[in-house]
Amino acid sequence: MKLQGTATVNEQGHLTIGGCDAVELVKSFGSPLYVMDEALLRENCRVYHQAFCAGGAGEVLYAGKTFLTLAMCRLVEDAGLGLDVVSGGELYTARRAGFPMDRVYFHGNNKTPAELMQALDYGVGQVVVDNLYEMAMLNNLAAGREVPVKVLLRITPGIECHTHEFIRTGQIDSKFGFALPTGQALEAVKAVIDHSHLVFTGLHCHIGSQIFELTSFGYAATVMMEFIAEIRRQTGVTVGTLNLGGGFGIRYTEADTPGDLAAYARLVLDTVAREAHRCGLSVPKVVVEPGRSIAGPAGTTLYTVGSVKEIRGVRRYVAVDGGMTDNPRPALYGSRYEAMLANKADREAVEVVSITGKCCESGDMLIWDIALPKVESGDILAVSCTGAYNYTMSMNYNRLAKPAVIFVRDGQAAVVVERESLDDLIRNDRIPPYLQGRS
Ligand code: LLP
């Protein structure tokens, strides 16, 4: 496992993160445990901010779907980033954290009337309108309050990128946005301009996630700028903001070859500036929405090893006290992870095992065929790069309680999400009166 951020190995041969011994963390907080390296979170935000906002040019929004809690909202605010939210729940989290609403962009392909009203109540900065149904509804709601609302339009530019099919959202056969190649995007722009209470500020696209080929981002920027030029020709309107979404890929295992973040920023900013110049347009504000590349590498999940089952001549299954409930990505996407034994971090690998979870489901595998030191029950297994789309996609299958989340830094650990209790699991259960009596 590649050590990232502040992770290191101490003299006892234990993994440490943020100056905290992983074995001690499990003693104090139990397992499974999501550990977020606060310094790395902050550093990733800083690098993005520096790359895109130097000279006040662009804006970076952290994509809340990746990992969002009250504490994370505070950290993102501190780092000077904005926030991309996709539901009333994420919006509520931001609001309760006191996040500045003018820095919030509200996304979603099927925002409900209640969610749109919530957004207007809170005064969110921008709504990213996804379809005509939403456009009309938002205009009516805004008109009812006599308060105009700033909107971007979500465009599907028709770009394929090489990533897992389920997380590819830029091609035109997509549930998201207005398709550019079919002419619907231009119709949507003409429509939005005609709505009395919508202030058209710009365009948004997101071509996919976990993308390594930087040229895909440059291509998206070019296609969108050509569209902006087309909008000018057809309507006379100047588009002020171009939001190019997220998607910058990260290293989960050695098979992953992420690009260079500074090169990505340069490519995107230079492409937009060059195309603006070529088309005689003013340079729009460039917005990006990274999620995975901020939170992913900062997260490590700690598990306790339970049963170790050897099928002679076939495989050794190492079972941990979590699994697809805290990390559904291997089961959903076939995602790969690296791991180490946090209590034997200085030992050589001597065996190849497969890591399985504790759910009643054969597909509940975290890692197939990983080389580790001799694994024994009671060992602490650390899986790296679990900061993105793990906690936010966790679930209670088999009525497993969700793990706690802690931030670690400078030798201190702070709980940012409490571990769910057994009572939490039945908190919303009700027994209807006709089932209450026992015969
Ligand atoms: N903006 C929009 C509109 C998005 O849809 C997404 C991710 C992002 C930004 C952030 O993308 P990132 O920088 O994290 O790649 N659950 C999947 C990932 C789904 C991504 C959805 N959209 C996974 O676990 O890989």
Side-chain angles (χ1 to χ4, degrees):
M1 176 179 120
K2 182 168 180 258
L3 298 178
Q4 310 215 43
T6 64
T8 178
V9 176
N10 66 14
E11 53 296 340
Q12 283 139 284
H14 293 179
L15 171 67
T16 77
I17 308 168
C20 298
D21 183 318
V23 178
E24 295 303 318
L25 289 175
V26 169
K27 279 191 194 140
S28 306
F29 300 101
S31 67
L33 182 66
Y34 295 115
V35 181
M36 299 297 284
D37 180 344
E38 188 176 332
L40 185 54
L41 281 176
R42 288 183 186 275
E43 172 63 8
N44 291 343
C45 292
R46 190 194 63 75
V47 169
Y48 260 105
H49 193 272
Q50 185 170 312
F52 284 94
C53 308
E59 191 175 2
V60 179
L61 313 176
Y62 169 67
K65 71 206 81 181
T66 318
F67 168 74
L68 198 71
T69 73
L70 296 174
M72 188 63 186
C73 288
R74 290 284 165 92
L75 187 148
V76 170
E77 181 187 351
D78 261 15
L81 307 193
L83 188 64
D84 141 13
V85 301
V86 296
S87 70
E90 289 186 356
L91 200 48
Y92 183 72
T93 306
R95 163 83 163 196
R96 289 297 300 267
F99 196 88
M101 282 294 143
D102 56 334
R103 276 156 53 183
V104 174
Y105 285 58
F106 187 21
H107 283 273
N109 74 307
N110 189 24
K111 303 175 190 80
T112 64
E115 285 174 324
L116 289 176
M117 277 191 280
Q118 188 186 351
L120 295 182
D121 284 346
Y122 293 178
V124 297
Q126 304 259 357
V127 177
V128 184
V129 171
D130 190 277
N131 53 70
L132 293 174
Y133 166 74
E134 175 189 344
M135 192 186 288
M137 179 160 60
L138 183 61
N139 187 64
N140 283 342
L141 292 171
R145 293 158 190 249
E146 296 178 21
V147 183
V149 50
K150 288 194 213 158
V151 299
L152 299 183
L153 293 187
R154 177 152 186 174
I155 308 298
T156 17
I159 293 169
E160 310 257 329
C161 18
H162 297 165
T163 182
H164 194 286
E165 193 181 359
F166 294 156
I167 48 179
R168 195 170 67 186
T169 48
Q171 81 282 18
I172 71 161
D173 187 3
S174 161
K175 72 171 186 170
F176 297 105
F178 300 98
L180 184 52
T182 61
Q184 285 163 301
L186 187 60
E187 286 163 25
V189 171
K190 289 179 178 164
V192 78
I193 297 166
D194 282 342
H195 282 76
S196 57
H197 284 75
L198 303 182
V199 182
F200 174 55
T201 61
L203 303 176
H204 170 275
C205 74
H206 170 79
I207 57 170
S209 199
Q210 184 63 353
I211 296 170
F212 297 136
E213 294 166 61
L214 297 188
T215 49
S216 311
F217 296 110
Y219 185 51
T222 304
V223 170
M224 293 299 282
M225 286 305 293
E226 282 168 358
F227 183 45
I228 288 175
E230 171 80 1
I231 292 172
R232 241 287 276 284
R233 280 194 297 277
Q234 299 265 346
T235 67
V237 168
T238 301
V239 171
T241 299
L242 176 58
N243 181 331
L244 290 166
F248 188 77
I250 61 168
R251 181 197 179 285
Y252 287 94
T253 72
E254 60 192 2
D256 300 324
T257 50
D260 174 61
L261 192 86
Y264 158 59
R266 262 195 318 274
L267 174 71
V268 165
L269 295 173
D270 289 354
T271 305
V272 170
R274 188 192 65 226
E275 290 300 305
H277 185 69
R278 191 173 68 78
C279 304
L281 300 163
S282 46
V283 181
K285 177 168 97 170
V286 174
V287 182
V288 287
E289 296 169 338
R292 190 189 312 270
S293 46
I294 288 180
T300 303
T301 309
L302 302 178
Y303 302 94
T304 303
V305 172
S307 97
V308 179
K309 165 181 166 163
E310 167 110 41
I311 308 173
R312 239 171 278 121
V314 178
R315 181 180 300 283
R316 232 161 115 79
Y317 280 98
V318 169
V320 295
D321 52 356
M324 67 189 292
T325 41
D326 58 79
N327 184 2
R329 298 190 71 258
L332 268 178
Y333 315 118
S335 307
R336 295 224 151 117
Y337 285 87
E338 289 182 345
M340 70 195 292
L341 293 181
N343 57 323
K344 298 175 180 171
D346 54 351
R347 303 212 197 146
E348 294 293 311
V350 296
E351 61 176 349
V352 171
V353 300
S354 292
I355 313 293
T356 180
K358 64 185 264 93
C359 290
C360 290
E361 171 138 348
S362 300
D364 178 22
M365 293 298 297
L366 286 178
I367 305 177
W368 290 100
D369 297 327
I370 178 174
L372 288 176
K374 178 93 191 129
V375 188
E376 293 155 300
S377 307
D379 283 341
I380 303 300
L381 184 87
V383 177
S384 60
C385 239
T386 58
Y389 305 109
N390 272 222
Y391 172 65
T392 51
M393 293 176 71
S394 63
M395 57 178 158
N396 293 119
Y397 182 49
N398 291 170
R399 289 235 146 171
L400 298 192
K402 292 187 188 178
V405 187
I406 60 171
F407 277 8
V408 290
R409 67 159 193 193
D410 302 331
Q412 304 288 323
V415 173
V416 299
V417 182
E418 294 284 355
R419 181 176 302 283
E420 278 184 347
S421 66
L422 294 177
D423 278 331
D424 288 332
L425 294 172
I426 58 163
R427 187 171 307 284
N428 293 325
D429 287 15
R430 300 289 179 266
I431 301 176
Y434 68 89
L435 288 175
Q436 282 180 6
R438 291 214 168 72
S439 45

